[in-house]
Amino acid sequence: MAGLTLLFGLILASFCACSADTAQILRYENSNLDSDGYAFSFETSDGISREEKATLKNPGTPDEAIAVQGSVNWVGPDGVHYTLNYLADENGFQAQGEHLPQVEH
């Protein structure tokens, strides 16, 4: 859990470091899919974009849960374009990105 908190902290720090000026929202979409989930996406003038979709799995059963899948893109202070893809479901939070350290199983 501490590793996950550190990862989110590093991502947030990257966003903050990139946004010295106030960014403008270029695109924003938000959909409430009733009780079946939601979807949203946005893009800002400083190169950040994000999209996320949640779906209800196993509705009406004891295993009912929300599964969230998404991605976020940004340009770091080093000028590199980063992409983080993620899935959060009954198996926990799973992040993928070329910039992330690889964990050996």
Side-chain angles (χ1 to χ4, degrees):
M1 185 57 107
L4 184 58
T5 302
L6 176 62
L7 173 64
F8 280 125
L10 291 172
I11 292 168
L12 182 59
S14 294
F15 286 146
C16 294
C18 295
S19 303
D21 297 324
T22 302
Q24 302 297 312
I25 297 172
L26 303 176
R27 181 182 55 80
Y28 176 75
E29 298 174 17
N30 186 19
S31 300
N32 182 353
L33 307 175
D34 297 320
S35 61
D36 295 330
Y38 64 86
F40 73 85
S41 62
F42 68 83
E43 181 179 355
T44 61
S45 60
D46 60 355
I48 297 172
S49 64
R50 182 172 172 197
E51 61 181 49
E52 182 172 295
K53 182 176 182 180
T55 55
L56 184 63
K57 295 176 71 175
N58 306 310
T61 71
D63 295 326
E64 183 176 288
I66 295 271
V68 178
Q69 185 172 8
S71 65
V72 61
N73 300 281
W74 72 96
V75 179
D78 53 5
V80 174
H81 290 260
Y82 293 94
T83 298
L84 176 72
N85 298 304
Y86 57 90
L87 173 66
D89 60 12
E90 66 274 8
N91 298 312
F93 182 81
Q94 305 153 58
Q96 295 179 332
E98 291 183 19
H99 62 287
L100 297 176
Q102 299 300 310
V103 178
E104 294 187 32
H105 299 277

